[in-house]
Amino acid sequence: MSRKNQTILITGGGGFLGSHLCERLLDEDHDVICLDNFFTGSKENIRHLLNHSGFELVRHDITWPVYLEVDAIYNMACPASPVHYQHDPVQTTKTSVLGAINLLGMAKRLNIPIMQASTSEVYGDPAVHPQKEEYWGNVNPIGPRSCYDEGKRCAETLFFDYYRQLKVSIKVVRIFNTYGPRMQINDGRVVSNFIVQALKNEDITIYGDGSQTRSFCYVSDMIEAFVKMMATPHEVTGPINLGNPGEFTMIELAEKVIKLTNSKSKLVYKPLPKDDPVRRKPDISKAEKILDWHPKVPLDEGLEKTIAYFKSILKK
Ligand code: UDP
């Protein structure tokens, strides 16, 4: 990835992370092919890029083969919020597994690097804390989250078999909870839910007793890590954890959001979704060492930027 002006395919380029990555690579003078079926991606996320001379948009579903000539692939395509990936679980597994097969085939044919957006969900409801890459996880194979968790795990298997057997340059990153502008308003995720509820002075929905923890990474930090990972030599395959190790309970998050929005919202308690992980926090020592990367944006600062975004969306 040292040569500039490459043509880079971003699957899921219309999504939250994908659209930020499109922008970043265009800024670096690459040409970008953004591929999306717009199941959860949105044209609004990329509308401002449509007139950019380096930008092309392809409406396509990666569960079907695709033939393009590119220099690198970022595979970001898959619904990622529990509400969306559980809406059509069969399609979710197909997206991860058939999508990986189709794109790895392309990477092999073209002899180009491919990055897989994997997930902290491969650790399931982790019995080890914080999660290191060596931990194999605690995943229910037949639950409501399995379509996503097992789909992503199988995709990792395919990536590593293409590396070992067919010498494809793979880059597997395990993304922990990430937030920022362009999260979908109806995504069902905790950061977007809490901010939208607080801005509307509606009740803030805490699932369970709110003592479960997550670690939240601001989107710009995550995109920086993707670009650094793609620039690594063939031998660097990952899997590598990417996230912000700051750990917060959902109650703490709700209190922060209420404070930053000056909201009158009250907390209400709802049942905890099945198989909801109790604790999650990445061990990012590998990313720090291999990528010389550390997230820079503290939660309060990232929340302020995200709140500003949702304020502008709610005004429309
Ligand atoms: N959550 C919550 N209220 C909401 C949405 C989510 O308390 O309105 C909780 C959810 O049960 C989980 C955590 O927040 O424990 C993070 O949920 P999210 O869907 O954002 O992502 P996950 O990490 O579970 O994939």
Side-chain angles (χ1 to χ4, degrees):
M1 291 288 291
S2 51
R3 185 170 65 84
K4 291 279 173 178
N5 285 318
Q6 293 192 315
T7 301
I8 300 177
L9 172 63
I10 305 176
T11 70
F16 162 50
L17 293 178
S19 63
H20 284 279
L21 185 58
C22 287
E23 243 170 30
R24 166 71 188 258
L25 296 176
L26 287 169
D27 283 348
E28 289 186 2
D29 285 338
H30 295 297
D31 286 350
V32 167
I33 301 181
C34 164
L35 184 151
D36 209 297
N37 70 349
F38 295 113
F39 173 58
T40 54
S42 155
K43 280 196 205 151
E44 286 314 310
N45 289 343
I46 47 161
R47 198 173 291 286
H48 61 297
L49 303 177
L50 290 174
N51 288 329
H52 192 298
S53 58
F55 186 77
E56 273 175 86
L57 177 61
V58 178
R59 181 188 272 264
H60 182 81
D61 182 328
I62 55 155
T63 61
W64 300 95
V66 54
Y67 292 86
L68 293 164
E69 305 304 314
V70 294
D71 299 302
I73 304 170
Y74 289 86
N75 183 26
M76 313 295 299
C78 191
S81 90
V83 174
H84 286 136
Y85 70 63
Q86 290 173 26
H87 169 77
D88 186 349
V90 172
Q91 185 64 18
T92 299
T93 304
K94 281 187 181 175
T95 301
S96 282
V97 177
L98 297 178
I101 291 169
N102 288 328
L103 295 166
L104 283 162
M106 187 193 289
K108 175 175 163 267
R109 172 174 66 84
L110 298 171
N111 191 22
I112 57 168
I114 176 165
M115 195 190 89
Q116 167 68 355
S118 191
T119 168
S120 54
E121 287 283 325
V122 299
Y123 301 121
D125 189 0
V128 167
H129 193 81
Q131 292 80 53
K132 275 184 183 299
E133 290 84 349
E134 289 74 22
Y135 176 50
W136 290 355
N138 176 34
V139 177
N140 177 357
I142 57 166
R145 293 176 92 104
S146 312
C147 57
Y148 187 71
D149 300 10
E150 298 289 20
K152 289 284 190 179
R153 286 168 68 95
C154 183
E156 286 201 10
T157 307
L158 285 160
F159 269 71
F160 277 85
D161 284 333
Y162 269 76
Y163 173 73
R164 282 186 291 255
Q165 192 181 329
L166 301 161
K167 314 290 174 240
V168 172
S169 271
I170 62 155
K171 313 282 167 198
V172 175
V173 294
R174 292 182 176 157
I175 304 170
F176 284 64
N177 297 60
T178 306
Y179 69 101
R182 301 202 197 120
M183 291 183 94
Q184 271 190 286
I185 209 157
N186 62 350
D187 203 33
R189 301 210 127 183
V190 70
V191 173
S192 44
N193 274 11
F194 284 5
I195 291 178
V196 172
Q197 289 161 347
L199 289 175
K200 292 180 170 174
N201 290 310
E202 290 172 357
D203 288 343
I204 294 208
T205 51
I206 305 276
Y207 300 163
D209 65 4
S211 65
Q212 71 270 37
T213 66
R214 294 291 186 275
S215 302
F216 299 103
C217 185
Y218 189 65
V219 59
S220 57
D221 283 330
M222 188 56 67
I223 300 297
E224 177 69 18
F226 293 166
V227 171
K228 286 191 161 209
M229 184 64 178
M230 188 58 103
T232 55
H234 176 78
E235 302 66 47
V236 178
T237 58
I240 201 158
N241 287 339
L242 298 178
N244 188 324
E247 186 184 2
F248 299 88
T249 66
M250 295 311 103
I251 302 266
E252 285 170 334
L253 178 70
E255 282 166 354
K256 271 187 188 297
V257 170
I258 289 176
K259 193 166 158 227
L260 291 170
T261 51
N262 277 321
S263 175
K264 298 188 187 65
S265 295
K266 299 271 172 289
L267 309 189
V268 294
Y269 292 83
K270 304 260 175 182
L272 191 68
K274 188 169 173 352
D275 295 341
D276 198 275
V278 177
R279 296 185 80 183
R280 184 184 286 156
K281 169 184 165 149
D283 180 322
I284 57 164
S285 39
K286 273 212 169 74
E288 288 175 319
K289 189 161 162 247
I290 296 170
L291 305 180
D292 188 23
W293 170 85
H294 191 87
K296 294 192 185 110
V297 182
L299 184 56
D300 283 62
E301 189 184 320
L303 284 176
E304 275 175 13
K305 291 182 180 168
T306 313
I307 289 165
Y309 167 77
F310 278 113
K311 262 188 194 160
S312 72
I313 290 291
L314 289 173
K315 263 193 216 136
K316 280 183 189 167

